[in-house]
Amino acid sequence: MEIVAINQISPDQVILFQWGWIVINATLVYTWMVMGLLVVGSILITRGLSPERAMSRWQNLMEVILSNVRSEIGEIAKDGADHYFPFIGTLFLFILFSNILTFIPGYVAPTSALTTTSALAVMVFFAVPIFGITKLGVIEYLKEYFRPNVIFFPFHVMGEFSRTLALAVRLFGNLMSHEKVIAILLAVTPLFFPIVMQALGLLIGLIQAYIFAILAMVYIASASQSHEETEHKGKKHGKETPEK
Amino acid sequence: MHIDWFVFFAQIVNFLILLFLLKKFLYGRIIGAMDAREARIAATFAEAEKAREEASRSVLMCEKKLQDIQGASDEMMNKARGEADAYRRELMDKAREEVDEIQNRWTETLRSERENFFQELRRLTGTQVYAITRRVLKDLADMDLEQRIVQILTERIETMNREERERIRTLMTAGEKITIQSAFDIPPEAREKLNGTIRMSIGSGIEVAYEKSDDVMSGYELRINGYKIAWSMKDYLDTLEEKFYHVLYEESQERKQVH
């Protein structure tokens, strides 16, 4: 018996336990599994952490991943990368591990459920003003909504919502469709193609995790840099700041 | 599309919990370790850079020291060379002085020896010539040389012209003697004869003193208060000495040229 049947579009629909309005579905269970894996792995890896040049392979792997995430954040945020690092890093690691664990038979990525992607997108939605206000202050942050003039205010607000929706739907759509394509291929050609698609799925999972984290960082960074600062930096680098 | 809001909020909470746990167990530790390693590597690099700079400074210092040593060595060498030159010149001057002194001494010795030689030659020659002449006169003319010399003196006094006699008389003062020096003892007969001739030719009261002297070379000298009538072999011997000298000098010159 399949955990997620072909007619069920996401693991949200696989309800394992329900007591009143409390629902425990497959999405939550797989999320806890990924969380448990990440937390236990982190504890194990960081247990024998070495500041010396010689280190364990796992520590090396984690350092490679985290230092790359950190440098990517640094390239986008320019300054204060470590401030954004826990949020963006957690987004990336959670989505990445949720996605790449799909090679385990029976596992369904929680990111292929709209509730998860929506929750993550809403997190980004709130993180943008929180980081922006922390960095610029309330007034300076709100001023950005009225640039270049007041007419643009509704467009900015619409932009905020639409990009949050786009974040949620992009990740959900990619992962969910991938799950469905594999399910369909298993039904049609159970031998060779599903394996190729699984391999492709790992790549898609990685890319989606990267896209989600980078976009979140770009949104936060754009909100955390004032208009004057952006212009100054653009002139300093001899080019205008790219459109977000 | 149905969204279960409980699951939705549960996912948000899940994410926040994950964020908290990862921050606690992963990021802080990993980043701390990475930063510590970076700091350590940076410190190592800084130390290496410091060591490199120190090494560069040491190299520069050593090069400078080497240059100083080279300079000092050159200076010392030049000074030593100058001192050696000065010392060499000094030694040369000293040697030259010594050589000059030795040469002068040698020349002086040579001159002294030559003089001694000629003096001895003159003495021996005089003696020999006197002896030979004496013998020749005896053999050929049966005459005594001393007698002949006294005879010559006698004749000389007798043949003095008037002016000469007057001059001697004017030179004579009261009690002044005429001194006759000869290389041999004039016998008393000859003395009497000479006294007679002198008194007859110059003046009657004249006293005559006779002295024997080796200075008078085989001849005589008659002295009257600075006036002198003499005959000796000195002139002949002087000529002989001069001829000897020339012969010896020419021979030594020839020897020098040969060497």
Side-chain angles (χ1 to χ4, degrees):
Chain A
M1 178 193 156
E2 291 182 36
I3 290 171
V4 183
I6 191 73
N7 60 345
Q8 294 170 323
I9 200 160
S10 84
D12 279 345
Q13 294 174 354
V14 183
I15 295 167
L16 303 174
F17 175 78
Q18 187 163 16
W19 185 56
W21 50 272
I22 296 169
V23 177
I24 306 296
N25 59 16
T27 306
L28 280 176
V29 173
Y30 290 130
T31 301
W32 291 334
M33 278 175 59
V34 173
M35 282 172 66
L37 181 74
L38 280 172
V39 172
V40 172
S42 299
I43 291 168
L44 289 176
I45 288 168
T46 57
R47 196 173 49 181
L49 214 55
S50 163
E52 301 298 326
R53 289 183 202 176
M55 64 187 99
S56 68
R57 289 176 186 177
W58 287 107
Q59 182 185 342
N60 200 359
L61 174 70
M62 241 351 160
E63 282 192 9
V64 168
I65 293 170
L66 293 182
S67 62
N68 277 312
V69 172
R70 201 181 179 194
S71 68
E72 287 286 341
I73 294 169
E75 279 178 22
I76 296 164
K78 306 295 178 196
D79 54 346
D82 286 347
H83 186 54
Y84 311 116
F85 179 68
F87 182 72
I88 303 296
T90 309
L91 272 179
F92 178 73
L93 286 179
F94 177 70
I95 298 168
L96 176 72
F97 278 84
S98 296
N99 295 351
I100 62 173
L101 288 176
T102 49
F103 68 89
I104 298 170
Y107 172 83
V108 180
T111 42
S112 64
L114 190 59
T115 43
T116 311
T117 57
S118 304
L120 295 178
V122 166
M123 293 293 297
V124 176
F125 178 81
F126 285 108
V128 169
I130 289 169
F131 281 115
I133 289 166
T134 310
K135 183 86 185 287
L136 302 174
V138 181
I139 295 169
E140 193 62 35
Y141 174 75
L142 289 176
K143 270 185 187 172
E144 293 297 317
Y145 283 93
F146 299 96
R147 288 186 204 280
N149 54 50
V150 76
I151 301 165
F152 281 82
F153 175 72
F155 297 109
H156 279 297
V157 175
M158 281 166 64
E160 291 289 330
F161 283 105
S162 63
R163 73 189 185 190
T164 306
L165 185 66
L167 266 182
V169 173
R170 184 187 299 110
L171 185 58
F172 164 70
N174 271 288
L175 272 294
M176 182 272 292
S177 60
H178 175 70
E179 295 277 345
K180 295 307 127 189
V181 166
I182 287 174
I184 292 164
L185 280 174
L186 274 171
V188 178
T189 54
L191 280 178
F192 181 67
F193 278 104
I195 296 171
V196 178
M197 286 308 290
Q198 279 283 9
L200 187 64
L202 294 177
L203 183 65
I204 289 168
L206 179 67
I207 290 169
Q208 285 308 315
Y210 178 76
I211 288 171
F212 196 98
I214 287 294
L215 282 176
M217 188 59 235
V218 168
Y219 298 154
I220 292 166
S222 67
S224 303
Q225 288 171 352
S226 67
H227 188 70
E228 289 79 10
E229 200 181 344
T230 312
E231 270 190 347
H232 175 70
K233 279 187 180 174
K235 279 177 188 169
K236 195 177 173 185
H237 292 100
K239 58 185 182 184
E240 290 300 318
T241 310
E243 281 296 318
K244 306 295 184 300
Chain B
M1 191 89 205
H2 171 74
I3 289 181
D4 190 320
W5 293 108
F6 171 77
V7 178
F8 174 79
F9 285 109
Q11 286 295 67
I12 289 175
V13 173
N14 282 338
F15 182 81
L16 291 174
I17 291 168
L18 183 66
L19 176 64
F20 170 76
L21 291 175
L22 288 186
K23 195 175 177 184
K24 184 173 172 60
F25 293 114
L26 187 66
Y27 306 136
R29 294 181 184 182
I30 289 269
I31 287 176
M34 281 162 68
D35 288 348
R37 187 181 304 114
E38 264 179 31
R40 197 165 295 188
I41 288 168
T44 311
F45 273 117
E47 211 168 290
E49 182 63 24
K50 198 178 161 190
R52 198 185 64 78
E53 279 173 8
E54 213 163 289
S56 301
R57 269 203 302 277
S58 297
V59 166
L60 284 176
M61 204 167 70
C62 285
E63 277 176 358
K64 194 177 173 301
K65 266 187 186 170
L66 203 64
Q67 279 176 356
D68 289 351
I69 288 168
Q70 190 69 42
S73 162
D74 288 349
E75 197 181 331
M76 214 180 279
M77 191 61 89
N78 288 337
K79 196 181 167 190
R81 202 169 281 137
E83 280 178 358
D85 280 348
Y87 189 61
R88 188 175 60 82
R89 273 198 297 276
E90 193 184 327
L91 283 180
M92 287 292 282
D93 290 347
K94 206 172 171 184
R96 204 167 282 132
E97 277 174 17
E98 279 177 8
V99 167
D100 286 349
E101 197 183 335
I102 290 167
Q103 194 174 8
N104 288 339
R105 213 157 46 214
W106 179 78
T107 309
E108 187 61 32
T109 311
L110 196 67
R111 196 181 59 77
S112 168
E113 280 182 0
R114 194 176 64 199
E115 276 179 10
N116 288 342
F117 171 73
F118 282 116
Q119 206 169 357
E120 185 67 15
L121 183 71
R122 176 189 286 257
R123 194 184 64 77
L124 280 173
T125 311
T127 312
Q128 286 301 314
V129 166
Y130 187 77
I132 290 165
T133 311
R134 186 190 181 106
R135 195 163 175 183
V136 166
L137 273 174
K138 186 79 183 169
D139 289 351
L140 293 179
D142 195 21
M143 284 179 73
D144 187 55
L145 181 62
E146 286 84 8
Q147 275 184 357
R148 181 62 191 147
I149 291 166
V150 172
Q151 194 180 346
I152 286 167
L153 177 61
T154 310
E155 282 171 6
R156 174 75 177 83
I157 295 164
E158 282 172 349
T159 55
M160 277 196 302
N161 55 28
R162 196 174 170 183
E163 286 83 25
E164 206 171 359
R165 289 179 189 183
E166 281 302 317
R167 194 177 169 196
I168 292 169
R169 277 187 201 114
T170 54
L171 287 170
M172 295 289 292
T173 52
E176 191 72 31
K177 283 182 184 175
I178 288 177
T179 308
I180 294 173
Q181 285 186 329
S182 60
F184 50 88
D185 281 330
I186 299 170
E189 303 86 44
R191 287 187 184 184
E192 283 300 319
K193 196 180 174 183
L194 263 174
N195 288 344
T197 306
I198 289 165
R199 284 170 188 148
M200 198 167 63
S201 302
I202 300 165
S204 54
I206 293 170
E207 287 287 320
V208 180
Y210 291 92
E211 288 175 5
K212 189 187 172 189
S213 170
D214 290 336
D215 294 339
V216 185
M217 293 288 288
S218 306
Y220 62 83
E221 266 185 23
L222 186 148
R223 289 175 185 274
I224 314 150
N225 203 16
Y227 188 80
K228 189 173 88 174
I229 297 168
W231 180 90
S232 76
M233 286 197 289
K234 185 176 177 292
D235 293 336
Y236 308 112
L237 291 174
D238 284 345
T239 310
L240 184 68
E241 187 182 322
E242 196 178 339
K243 286 198 173 177
F244 258 108
Y245 179 80
H246 279 299
V247 168
L248 285 173
Y249 181 73
E250 279 167 13
E251 194 182 344
S252 67
Q253 286 295 101
E254 280 171 7
R255 275 186 187 175
K256 262 187 192 172
Q257 282 173 3
V258 167
H259 289 294

